[in-house]
Amino acid sequence: MKTQVAIIGGGPSGLLLSQLLHVRGIDTIVLEKHTRDYVLGRIRAGVLEHGFANLMREAQCGDRMDAEGEIHEGFFIARDNRKHRIDLSGPTNGNSVVVYGQTEVTRDLYEARDKMNGIVLHDVQTVELHDLTTTTPHVTFRQNGENLRIDCDFVVGADGFHGVSRKSIPEDVLTEYEKVFPFGWLGVLSHTKPASPELIYASSDRGFALCSMRSQILSRFYIQVPLTDSVDDWSDKAFWSELKRRLPDEVSETLVTGASIEKSIAPLRGYVAEPMRYGNLFLAGDAAHIFPPTGARGLNSAASDIHYLYQGLVDHYLSGDDGGLETYSERALARVWKAQRFSWMMTSMLHSFPDDTPYDRRLREVELDYLLSSANARAALAENYVGLPY
Ligand code: RFL
Ligand code: PHB
């Protein structure tokens, strides 16, 4: 097979890039290791930056997001039995976020790819990248027992943290930065009404909790748990009871609980690999970076990578200008690191750390006190949460 851009990974990053390039007449083939049902079965992010929403529209798949996604102009931080509203729109000239699940984003992208006869090959195995430092790279893989090969101009590694693309970059070229937090998030999805019209990030002596949502009848909740816990340690009853203890009374008294339809534990970590380009291989999304979810940056940073890469590829193919591709890694990483800082700050401020000294604990408390008492600090939080400019 032959294409202009071979995209490894059919998650949101790979599909969004494929769809955007197609609209501009640039040919792609997407290779995905799993089935479509498996990809759509993963419950992940739920908050989209304005910039992401605009990219979905540009990719001609924003209609359902615009009809069903909810615009949120603020969220709450709860502590000491009280809710404090963080206004997003006032300090950011009317900016906001869209609450619309990653599952739905991915579903919309798959449907758009189908409509345009985009090629997405599923169930591919043993993907290998070759000749990445030449102008004629190629990708080999197996599908349905057959050995196949794609010749292309560029390879995009959008195959997530455990993918093959980043591992194809020689060790002496790549620098990795990592921070592992000493806890995880236990997440529950339930067919229940959201706890509040806007998200609640709760800091309590018992640990962090988050009340989020996918729609007015589908809610997503998280609680901070030790890394040694497993899903089997948490019955639905135990989960709801612990969640309630971490929320203000006014929220827990009216919280509607129900059977969990998904329950999983995700460790919290920050990770960045530099550079995001090796020859004609470009990394994007989780293939290059992971965020602790507290700042809702993971999926949004994947989208900002795609924005820069899309512009670079369009300039290359339509104007013969390689400036965007040359500066891709630098520009993407500059924004990624700012998002890492924000996620680290939100995570540090809102969680309980098992090894804190009394001094550390007081500093965390005063960090939150300062935020809640300073309009300038809240404005800085809002500016980061809605997404820094591309
Ligand atoms: P994805 O979604 O991981 O998609 C990568 C795709 O590549 C495929 N793949 C391969 N395909 C071909 N060949 C190979 N060798 C391959 N190896 C892997 C995989 O099957 C997969 O389909 O990466 P992408 O597209 O960059 O998207 C990034 C987002 O998924 C991610 O940033 C967020 O979901 C992160 N994240 C969260 N972000 C938030 O903003 N809020 C959240 O609440 C939130 N929760 C989460 C998360 C990530 C999680 N992970 C990675 C385990 C919860 C979890 C559990
Ligand atoms: C979610 O709805 O899954 C979600 C929302 C906000 C976050 C993290 C996860 O910061």
Side-chain angles (χ1 to χ4, degrees), residues 44-47 185 199 201 210 212 214 220 222 293-296 385:
R44 290 186 177 174
V47 174
W185 277 16
L199 272 65
Y201 291 79
L210 171 60
S212 181
R214 294 291 177 270
R220 182 75 167 153
Y222 299 93
T294 327
Y385 195 86

Side-chain angles (χ1 to χ4, degrees), residues 43-149:
I43 310 295
R44 290 186 177 174
V47 174
L48 310 183
E49 288 172 4
H50 193 69
F52 190 150
N54 279 341
L55 271 183
M56 286 289 284
R57 293 178 192 117
E58 191 166 343
Q60 299 181 4
C61 35
D63 289 354
R64 201 162 68 94
M65 174 192 74
D66 283 331
E68 296 175 19
E70 280 184 29
I71 306 272
H72 283 214
E73 295 185 341
F75 64 85
F76 293 99
I77 290 183
R79 71 173 302 200
D80 295 339
N81 213 15
R82 278 193 56 203
K83 272 164 55 184
H84 305 262
R85 186 162 187 272
I86 306 293
D87 179 25
L88 294 175
S89 118
T92 62
N93 285 323
N95 213 334
S96 55
V97 292
V98 182
V99 171
Y100 190 65
Q102 177 168 335
T103 311
E104 305 312 315
V105 166
T106 313
R107 195 189 307 282
D108 295 347
L109 287 165
Y110 270 125
E111 278 175 15
R113 291 287 51 219
D114 286 348
K115 262 197 215 146
M116 296 184 180
N117 297 319
I119 305 179
V120 182
L121 303 179
H122 282 277
D123 282 319
V124 302
Q125 290 117 34
T126 56
V127 173
E128 285 177 29
L129 317 185
H130 308 269
D131 298 338
L132 292 170
T133 53
T134 72
T135 51
T136 51
H138 70 276
V139 179
T140 55
F141 58 100
R142 279 179 73 76
Q143 194 191 31
N144 302 326
E146 248 188 299
N147 289 322
L148 296 165
R149 166 179 171 140

Side-chain angles (χ1 to χ4, degrees), residues 76-347:
F76 293 99
I77 290 183
R79 71 173 302 200
D80 295 339
N81 213 15
R82 278 193 56 203
K83 272 164 55 184
H84 305 262
R85 186 162 187 272
I86 306 293
D87 179 25
L88 294 175
S89 118
T92 62
N93 285 323
N95 213 334
S96 55
V97 292
V98 182
V99 171
Y100 190 65
Q102 177 168 335
T103 311
E104 305 312 315
V105 166
T106 313
R107 195 189 307 282
D108 295 347
L109 287 165
Y110 270 125
E111 278 175 15
R113 291 287 51 219
D114 286 348
K115 262 197 215 146
M116 296 184 180
N117 297 319
I119 305 179
V120 182
L121 303 179
H122 282 277
D123 282 319
V124 302
Q125 290 117 34
T126 56
V127 173
E128 285 177 29
L129 317 185
H130 308 269
D131 298 338
L132 292 170
T133 53
T134 72
T135 51
T136 51
H138 70 276
V139 179
T140 55
F141 58 100
R142 279 179 73 76
Q143 194 191 31
N144 302 326
E146 248 188 299
N147 289 322
L148 296 165
R149 166 179 171 140
I150 302 176
D151 290 293
C152 55
D153 302 331
F154 300 105
V155 181
V156 171
D159 47 353
F161 185 67
H162 299 287
V164 67
S165 301
R166 189 182 66 253
K167 292 175 195 142
S168 308
I169 302 179
E171 267 176 33
D172 60 343
V173 172
L174 211 62
T175 308
E176 296 175 285
Y177 300 86
E178 185 174 45
K179 173 155 185 78
V180 177
F181 290 90
F183 38 73
W185 277 16
L186 168 64
V188 159
L189 187 72
S190 63
H191 277 302
T192 50
K193 178 168 137 330
S196 132
E198 294 178 334
L199 272 65
I200 305 174
Y201 291 79
S203 166
S204 86
D205 294 344
R206 301 183 64 86
F208 172 78
L210 171 60
C211 303
S212 181
M213 66 197 78
R214 294 291 177 270
S215 71
Q216 284 309 309
I217 51 161
L218 191 59
S219 293
R220 182 75 167 153
F221 300 94
Y222 299 93
I223 56 173
Q224 172 187 351
V225 293
L227 280 172
T228 44
D229 279 15
S230 79
V231 168
D232 298 335
D233 298 328
W234 287 92
S235 64
D236 285 2
K237 193 164 168 249
F239 176 82
W240 293 119
S241 153
E242 184 58 35
L243 175 67
K244 284 182 178 182
R245 294 176 78 170
R246 298 184 187 189
L247 298 173
D249 294 342
E250 59 163 313
V251 182
S252 55
E253 279 161 12
T254 55
L255 185 76
V256 181
T257 63
S260 65
I261 48 177
E262 196 265 359
K263 201 186 272 166
S264 52
I265 294 184
L268 266 72
R269 95 168 110 197
Y271 170 91
V272 182
E274 293 186 352
M276 287 171 63
R277 174 188 190 174
Y278 173 66
N280 282 321
L281 166 68
F282 295 86
L283 299 180
D286 278 19
H289 40 70
I290 296 285
F291 297 81
T294 327
R297 293 304 87 191
L299 181 58
N300 288 307
S301 300
S304 70
D305 294 349
I306 295 305
H307 164 84
Y308 294 123
L309 193 49
Y310 160 56
Q311 296 294 347
L313 288 165
V314 166
D315 289 348
H316 169 84
Y317 283 111
L318 305 189
S319 321
D321 171 2
D322 279 345
L325 291 180
E326 299 294 347
T327 55
Y328 166 70
S329 176
E330 203 182 306
R331 294 174 74 202
L333 283 167
R335 194 174 189 278
V336 161
W337 274 111
K338 287 183 191 138
Q340 288 283 339
R341 183 203 71 83
F342 178 65
S343 306
W344 163 81
M345 186 277 286
M346 287 283 278
T347 305

